[in-house]
């Protein structure tokens, strides 16, 4: 029998014992993403919420919260207009909270955590042993095991240590990956009353925080695409806004390939978050646009670029935030010519899908 089971409300244990400021700060950070970093609009929303739901109390009001935000360096009003602006501390906090929300608490496993199925000339020690090979350093030699081998091979009476007796501590091969994350900021990302850009921004911030804190030798470049495509900095992610744009997937892929072409790493990949078909091309200074169905001119150009990415060894993983049959048909064609991956995701599951695919792709070396 299907139905609902009701239980007593249990407060979030993570919020128990938190100060009023910390509880309000969590709401503030969430709204900062939704308002694209507009501090004044965020505080107006919080004031409205306070009037309706009493999120503050008699001892600690919104004025106290705003003053504490200033005192702790989250916002500043030191500008000509006297309005509030976010600080670098706020940007870091937003990225950290996005990482924790989407990926959960990461366990400490040492700096790097570069896992591959291969051993090699890395500097991360493993528990495996192997025979000595010319070029191995003295520090790698496992002396205890090597001496034991000499005793077994030559006896105790005439102790001799030869090259064939030596064993070394193997090291794990460290991979490095260059990733370009493409984010669709066309108008359809907020169309029909559904906010798709906020989850996309959260994923981008979480991925940026993951790479910059856990995979420090990897690179992450972020580009947005609408009628055109351009690169944005990690610090600008909370402030991304959807524009009155069409979807120029070609421009996004061309810029992503140009960025990766300059990277020296062997592992390169593109992640593309989008909710719609390509609808735009740029020819000189003019745009060719068609929002109805799949335009063959735009589609063929997009598929050609997907095939070109495949030839240079750059897989494209597409995360489609939509379920329309004709959109799936486009993604299937694009994935086939690129030999990449595609996911048709709900907004709730988007973060976990990107995380898993990032970790899987970075563990192997793509052949060119």
């Amino acid at each position: 029998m299907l139905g609902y089971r009701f239980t007593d409300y249990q407060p979030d244990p993570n919020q128990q014992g938190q100060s009023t400021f910390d509880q309000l700060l969590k709401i503030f950070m969430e709204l900062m993403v939704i308002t694209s970093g507009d501090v004044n609009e965020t505080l107006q929303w919080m004031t409205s919420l306070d009037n309706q739901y009493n999120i503050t109390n008699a001892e600690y009001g919104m004025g106290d919260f705003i003053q504490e935000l200033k005192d702790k360096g989250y916002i500043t009003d030191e500008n000509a207009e006297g309005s509030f602006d976010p600080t670098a501390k706020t940007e870091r906090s937003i990225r950290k909270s996005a990482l924790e929300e989407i990926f959960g608490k990461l366990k400490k496993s040492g700096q790097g955590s570069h896992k591959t199925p291969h051993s090699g000339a890395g500097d991360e020690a493993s528990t495996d042993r192997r025979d000595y090979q010319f070029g191995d350093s003295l520090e790698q030699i496992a002396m205890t095991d090597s001496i034991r081998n000499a005793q077994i091979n030559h006896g105790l009476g005439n102790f001799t240590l030869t090259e064939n007796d030596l064993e070394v501590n193997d090291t794990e091969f460290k991979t490095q990956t260059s990733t370009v994350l493409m984010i669709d900021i066309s108008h359809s990302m907020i169309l029909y009353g559904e906010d798709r850009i906020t989850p996309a921004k959260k994923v981008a911030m979480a991925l940026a925080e993951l790479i910059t804190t856990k995979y420090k030798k990897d690179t992450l470049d972020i580009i947005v695409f609408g009628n055109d495509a351009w690169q944005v900095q990690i610090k600008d992610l909370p402030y991304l806004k959807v524009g009155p744009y069409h979807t120029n997937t070609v421009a996004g892929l061309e810029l992503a390939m140009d960025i990766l072409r300059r990277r020296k790493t062997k592992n390169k990949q593109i992640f593309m978050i989008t909710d719609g078909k390509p609808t735009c091309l740029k020819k000189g200074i003019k745009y060719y646009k068609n929002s109805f169905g799949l335009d063959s001119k735009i589609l063929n150009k997009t598929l050609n670029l997907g095939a070109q990415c495949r030839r240079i060894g750059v897989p494209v993983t597409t995360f489609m935030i939509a379920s329309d049959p004709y959109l799936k048909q486009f993604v299937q064609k694009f994935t086939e010519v690129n030999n990449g991956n595609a996911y048709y995701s709900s907004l709730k599951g988007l973060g976990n899908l990107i995380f898993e695919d990032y970790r899987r792709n970075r563990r192997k070396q793509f052949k060119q």
Side-chain angles (χ1 to χ4, degrees), residues 263-308:
R263 297 296 183 187
K264 303 303 180 184
T265 52
K266 291 185 177 180
N267 295 320
K268 302 176 182 181
Q269 60 186 352
I270 297 172
F271 287 160
M272 179 168 63
I273 304 176
T274 182
D275 72 334
K277 60 190 179 299
T279 60
C280 176
L281 287 176
K282 191 172 184 180
K283 301 181 66 177
I285 60 173
K286 295 184 178 181
Y287 295 95
Y288 174 83
K289 303 173 183 177
N290 185 355
S291 300
F292 303 97
L294 286 171
D295 187 291
S296 60
K297 186 174 183 178
I298 301 174
L299 177 63
N300 290 338
K301 179 66 174 177
T302 307
L303 294 178
N304 288 340
L305 279 178
Q308 187 176 341

Side-chain angles (χ1 to χ4, degrees), residues 78-117:
E78 296 179 359
N79 54 62
E81 294 79 16
S83 58
F84 289 123
D85 291 323
T87 64
K89 181 177 181 179
T90 296
E91 293 164 356
R92 289 193 301 269
S93 298
I94 292 174
R95 293 198 300 269
K96 183 178 179 182
S97 63
L99 176 68
E100 292 174 353
E101 179 181 343
I102 294 177
F103 296 152
K105 298 283 186 179
L106 292 176
K107 295 181 179 179
K108 263 193 171 181
S109 59
Q111 186 175 351
S113 188
H114 294 265
K115 298 178 181 178
T116 72

Side-chain angles (χ1 to χ4, degrees), residues 232-249:
V232 298
Q233 301 299 314
I234 291 176
K235 65 181 181 63
D236 298 325
L237 284 173
Y239 318 128
L240 292 182
K241 293 182 179 180
V242 169
Y245 306 127
H246 285 69
T247 307
N248 192 343
T249 310

Side-chain angles (χ1 to χ4, degrees), residues 34 87 98 111 136 150 159 197 275:
I34 296 173
T87 64
Q111 186 175 351
D136 289 332
F159 179 77
I197 189 63
D275 72 334

Side-chain angles (χ1 to χ4, degrees), residues 20 50 54-64:
T20 304
D50 188 32
N54 297 319
I55 60 176
T56 64
N57 52 59
E59 292 77 24
Y60 190 95
M62 282 301 301
D64 299 311

Side-chain angles (χ1 to χ4, degrees), residues 17-32:
Q18 283 188 342
S19 66
T20 304
F21 172 79
D22 290 331
Q23 295 176 17
L24 293 176
L25 183 63
K26 185 175 182 180
I27 301 173
F28 175 80
M29 293 300 179
E30 182 75 17
L31 289 174
M32 281 287 286

